[in-house]
Amino acid sequence: MKEKSTSFDIAYRAGVSQSTVSRALRNSPLVNAATRSKIQAIAKELNYKVDKNASNLRSQQSDTIALLLFEDPTNDDSAINPFFLSMLGSITRACASKGYDLLVSFQQASEDWHADFEDSNKADGLILLGYGDYVDYEEKLVKLLDQGTHFVRWGAEVKHLPIISVGCDNFTGGKEITEHIIKLGRKSFAFLGSASSHAPEFFERYKGHCQALKAHQLTVNPALQFNAMYTEESGYQAACRLINSGESFDAICAACDLIAVGAMRALQEHGFKIPEQVSVVGFDDIAIASFTFPPLTTVKQDTKLAGELLVNTLLSLIHGEEASTTLIPPELVMRKSCAS
Amino acid sequence: MKEKSTSFDIAYRAGVSQSTVSRALRNSPLVNAATRSKIQAIAKELNYKVDKNASNLRSQQSDTIALLLFEDPTNDDSAINPFFLSMLGSITRACASKGYDLLVSFQQASEDWHADFEDSNKADGLILLGYGDYVDYEEKLVKLLDQGTHFVRWGAEVKHLPIISVGCDNFTGGKEITEHIIKLGRKSFAFLGSASSHAPEFFERYKGHCQALKAHQLTVNPALQFNAMYTEESGYQAACRLINSGESFDAICAACDLIAVGAMRALQEHGFKIPEQVSVVGFDDIAIASFTFPPLTTVKQDTKLAGELLVNTLLSLIHGEEASTTLIPPELVMRKSCAS
DNA sequence: ACGATTTACTTTATCGTTTTCATCGAAAAA
DNA sequence: TTTTTCGATGAAAACGATAAAGTAAATCGT
């Protein structure tokens, strides 16, 4: 196995200095076209690749961005939420199209992630992805800000801090999907998902939900709100609690698709007909949603657009350009889990 | 925003030389415990992080592995196959637990990927993931081998080359799932998925399928084999071709779950009852499989195990240890899409 | 008590680039 | 002819760590 060649080897063969080689390989106009192509030919022949470590060290940039995925530590060996998986896919694609490498990393919210990737020069910037619980998360965001780290968050806007976010308009989504069912004639709405600021996106969806109810002179019954995490199992259990509560209801708004899927399972086990007796809706539009029985009516978050926005925004930040928080409009996806 | 501090800053404050700092931070036993902790304290206080580029450059290793995901260029804006997404998740986790960073990259089989990541010292090794079409893929594998690049493939064993692979035992999986339906009493089996070596894993499954048929004195009817790619749409179309062919059949073995899902859609649109008239099975056990109607009986590939195996094997290779190709045993997952 | 280890550092070389600064011949301007 | 200006290149200084080699003081065995 041959030694890996360096720019000096090429310089030697081309009969020029190493610095000329470096310039030629980066298509610098400072080097004569003839020598440039000669050098490039030799480089190709030797199968030469610039050493990224050396290059990054000198130029102080890595052309790499890091994606930090936050997951609830409690369910760490279960599958990753398909919604985030889908985001991951689109972010990967978006990065590639911009010529950036993507470093993917899982983090537990509790860890010392805040000062790792950009500080060690492994990445030029960070994308933070996950359902954010703000308990001590926010304090770390502030630290990132202090350090001048470039980063973009996925999620609800943080009003009181100069943090750039890209997120879905959860409030509007929650409102519109609820209005949709209201128009179908349902009266008693249960909401499955957290109604507290610990889960900001769920909370926004809940607020939109309530807003829609009020706008149509329907009462918001707190006894019909049940907490649930973003898992199928959690949705199943919340629905069981709902059913056992004895409250009557004819519609369920789930804070995310996985919850909705779990809820449908619980309902069907208890003999409820969907959508005849109960209309069910979710949020996210994960792949599973179109294959459930009945197919789930939900709110689509455009992950492709989101991924592109996330990396474009981050890149702007890195390049010192202006950037601002963006909300992606939600989109209703009507399927069969609702009826009048 | 303060300058980022270097090991010299720490050395200055601690009153020692820079190299002592370097050692202290790596917990070298060569430095006195007292000074070591003093240095580490200062480092923490200054929020110092070692510069990975400098460190990697000097030590010639990156503690990073690259995951190359191959996707069919034709469907590049559609969603990524959930099976690979799931693998991605488990590989990410496995890497993290070993203290390695993960660089994720999409590649088109046609591109010049073979010499990029390890040659440029961005990664210490490669994981190759994707349904492999061997046309000019193999030639690149040989190049990787020549270069001494450390890599592991996901997929069927490559018999004639010293390449380490981790894969599912597709043959056995295909055989067992087919036997399962045979025992249920079905007689006319259609197979949806490529039966050629261009799609090695599908081909293996097909061979297992045929083997099972023969072992039970059933005929393999070539007119009941239809090509399909690994997408839902492709499965749908293959099933339509099957239906329109006029051949009679009472069971469909799909080469992967997505194909099965598409096939079920086609069957139901044409009024077939699943599983009463037609039994359907898939392969992979993607998340969707448990939510289809009826829930899909399939062969589970344990992605968690696969991810761990992939990174452990690669790490062995990197560290110069012995490693060998591994086959993961498939596991039947009985659900409701088959009946006697 | 005296050379031989050990312990705890410091010095110096090195990794392979990018980048600044200096150079040098030739064409253009004076 | 002499001086400028440029276009093209080379030499050398970073970049920020790690690793090998060197040094002084403390510890040791006999």
Side-chain angles (χ1 to χ4, degrees), chain A residues 151-183:
Chain A
F151 71 99
V152 189
R153 295 175 55 250
W154 167 256
E157 186 175 11
V158 182
K159 314 107 328 229
H160 53 296
L161 286 174
I163 289 177
I164 308 283
S165 303
V166 171
C168 177
D169 188 343
N170 290 302
F171 180 86
T172 303
K175 198 181 92 195
E176 291 182 350
I177 191 86
T178 304
E179 278 172 346
H180 170 67
I181 323 183
I182 292 174
K183 287 192 192 119

Side-chain angles (χ1 to χ4, degrees), chain B residues 1 55 90 119 176 181 190 200 205 225-226 322 329:
Chain B
M1 178 193 337
S55 161
S90 83
D119 281 3
E176 291 182 351
I181 324 184
R205 294 170 195 175
Q225 183 273 317
F226 291 85
E322 273 307 306

Side-chain angles (χ1 to χ4, degrees), chain B residues 45 112 155 165 168 209 232 252 338:
Chain B
E45 186 199 338
D112 222 29
S165 303
C168 177
H209 168 77
E232 199 263 350
I252 292 183
C338 298

Side-chain angles (χ1 to χ4, degrees), chain A residues 5-84:
Chain A
S5 41
T6 73
S7 49
F8 282 95
D9 301 327
I10 298 180
Y12 176 75
R13 303 213 188 191
V16 297
S17 76
Q18 178 271 336
S19 40
T20 300
V21 171
S22 172
R23 279 191 282 253
L25 293 177
R26 278 170 303 134
N27 289 311
S28 162
L30 292 179
V31 13
N32 180 293
T35 47
R36 188 195 314 168
S37 55
K38 176 177 165 194
I39 289 172
Q40 288 176 341
I42 297 178
K44 191 166 301 168
E45 187 199 336
L46 293 189
N47 212 283
Y48 167 85
K49 291 280 140 91
V50 307
D51 183 306
K52 275 296 175 185
N53 291 317
S55 161
N56 294 344
L57 170 59
R58 182 60 237 242
S59 59
Q60 295 294 60
Q61 53 154 39
S62 60
D63 287 355
T64 297
I65 79 185
L67 172 60
L68 307 195
L69 246 167
F70 294 87
E71 283 249 46
D72 193 323
T74 55
N75 62 322
D76 70 350
D77 61 283
S78 71
I80 301 165
N81 187 315
F83 173 71
F84 291 120

Side-chain angles (χ1 to χ4, degrees), chain A residues 199-269:
Chain A
E201 26 277 293
F202 284 9
F203 195 28
E204 284 296 310
R205 293 169 196 175
Y206 181 63
K207 287 194 284 193
H209 168 77
C210 296
Q211 160 88 245
L213 292 180
K214 284 180 200 143
H216 288 78
Q217 285 79 43
L218 291 166
T219 51
V220 176
N221 181 355
L224 285 176
Q225 183 272 318
F226 291 85
N227 285 329
M229 311 276 298
Y230 39 89
T231 62
E232 199 261 350
E233 181 58 24
S234 173
Y236 176 80
Q237 285 169 3
C240 288
R241 273 179 280 136
L242 164 63
I243 294 165
N244 294 332
S245 75
E247 299 279 338
S248 79
F249 60 92
D250 56 11
I252 292 183
C253 292
C256 75
D257 284 352
L258 246 20
I259 294 177
V261 166
M264 292 207 291
R265 179 161 63 94
L267 288 172
Q268 286 166 335
E269 283 184 8

Side-chain angles (χ1 to χ4, degrees), chain A residues 84-325:
Chain A
F84 291 120
L85 234 28
S86 163
M87 287 288 281
L88 198 167
S90 83
I91 290 171
T92 306
R93 281 234 167 75
C95 275
S97 81
K98 295 288 179 175
Y100 272 69
D101 285 324
L102 213 220
L103 219 36
V104 175
S105 159
F106 276 75
Q107 305 287 331
Q108 317 251 281
S110 53
E111 283 168 5
D112 222 29
W113 51 271
H114 57 278
D116 242 31
F117 288 89
E118 186 166 348
D119 282 4
S120 60
N121 277 325
K122 283 192 284 197
D124 297 336
L126 270 40
I127 293 179
L128 270 29
L129 187 57
Y131 284 136
D133 178 337
Y134 286 75
V135 181
D136 63 358
Y137 175 61
E138 183 166 321
E139 148 191 344
K140 296 198 178 152
L141 292 183
V142 172
K143 212 157 196 169
L144 280 186
L145 235 30
D146 281 353
Q147 294 168 176
T149 301
H150 304 105
F151 71 99
V152 189
R153 295 175 55 250
W154 167 256
E157 186 175 11
V158 182
K159 314 107 328 229
H160 53 296
L161 286 174
I163 289 177
I164 308 283
S165 303
V166 171
C168 177
D169 188 343
N170 290 302
F171 180 86
T172 303
K175 198 181 92 195
E176 291 182 350
I177 191 86
T178 304
E179 278 172 346
H180 170 67
I181 323 183
I182 292 174
K183 287 192 192 119
L184 260 25
R186 300 297 163 125
K187 301 291 180 197
S188 312
F189 290 77
F191 184 89
L192 269 31
S194 174
S196 88
S197 58
H198 278 272
E201 26 277 293
F202 284 9
F203 195 28
E204 284 296 310
R205 293 169 196 175
Y206 181 63
K207 287 194 284 193
H209 168 77
C210 296
Q211 160 88 245
L213 292 180
K214 284 180 200 143
H216 288 78
Q217 285 79 43
L218 291 166
T219 51
V220 176
N221 181 355
L224 285 176
Q225 183 272 318
F226 291 85
N227 285 329
M229 311 276 298
Y230 39 89
T231 62
E232 199 261 350
E233 181 58 24
S234 173
Y236 176 80
Q237 285 169 3
C240 288
R241 273 179 280 136
L242 164 63
I243 294 165
N244 294 332
S245 75
E247 299 279 338
S248 79
F249 60 92
D250 56 11
I252 292 183
C253 292
C256 75
D257 284 352
L258 246 20
I259 294 177
V261 166
M264 292 207 291
R265 179 161 63 94
L267 288 172
Q268 286 166 335
E269 283 184 8
H270 285 80
F272 288 85
K273 295 277 177 230
I274 305 170
E276 294 78 4
Q277 295 172 264
V278 184
S279 286
V280 178
V281 298
F283 206 113
D284 285 348
D285 194 28
I286 59 180
I288 292 172
S290 42
F291 298 109
T292 54
F293 180 75
L296 187 63
T297 290
T298 188
V299 179
K300 172 176 177 168
Q301 305 198 63
D302 187 337
T303 53
K304 178 154 186 266
L305 177 61
E308 285 164 4
L309 232 37
L310 240 13
V311 338
N312 289 344
T313 306
L314 179 56
L315 259 29
S316 300
L317 245 33
I318 290 173
H319 299 137
E321 300 157 14
E322 274 307 307
S324 58
T325 289

Side-chain angles (χ1 to χ4, degrees), chain B residues 31-171:
Chain B
V31 15
N32 181 292
T35 48
R36 190 197 310 168
S37 55
K38 177 177 164 191
I39 288 173
Q40 288 176 341
I42 297 179
K44 193 167 299 169
E45 186 199 338
L46 292 189
N47 212 284
Y48 168 84
K49 290 279 140 91
V50 310
D51 183 305
K52 275 296 175 185
N53 291 318
S55 161
N56 294 344
L57 169 59
R58 184 61 238 248
S59 61
Q60 295 294 61
Q61 54 155 37
S62 60
D63 287 353
T64 297
I65 78 185
L67 172 60
L68 308 195
L69 247 166
F70 294 86
E71 283 250 46
D72 194 322
T74 54
N75 61 322
D76 71 349
D77 61 283
S78 73
I80 301 164
N81 187 315
F83 172 71
F84 291 120
L85 233 27
S86 163
M87 288 288 282
L88 199 166
S90 83
I91 290 172
T92 307
R93 281 232 169 77
C95 274
S97 80
K98 295 288 181 178
Y100 272 69
D101 285 323
L102 214 222
L103 219 36
V104 175
S105 160
F106 276 76
Q107 304 287 332
Q108 318 251 282
S110 54
E111 285 169 6
D112 222 29
W113 50 272
H114 57 279
D116 241 29
F117 288 88
E118 186 166 346
D119 281 3
S120 61
N121 277 326
K122 283 192 286 197
D124 298 335
L126 270 40
I127 293 178
L128 271 30
L129 186 58
Y131 284 136
D133 180 337
Y134 286 72
V135 181
D136 62 357
Y137 175 60
E138 183 165 320
E139 150 191 343
K140 297 197 179 155
L141 291 184
V142 172
K143 214 159 195 167
L144 280 186
L145 235 31
D146 280 353
Q147 294 168 173
T149 301
H150 303 106
F151 71 99
V152 188
R153 296 175 55 250
W154 167 256
E157 185 176 13
V158 181
K159 314 107 326 234
H160 53 296
L161 286 174
I163 289 176
I164 308 284
S165 303
V166 171
C168 177
D169 186 344
N170 291 302
F171 180 86

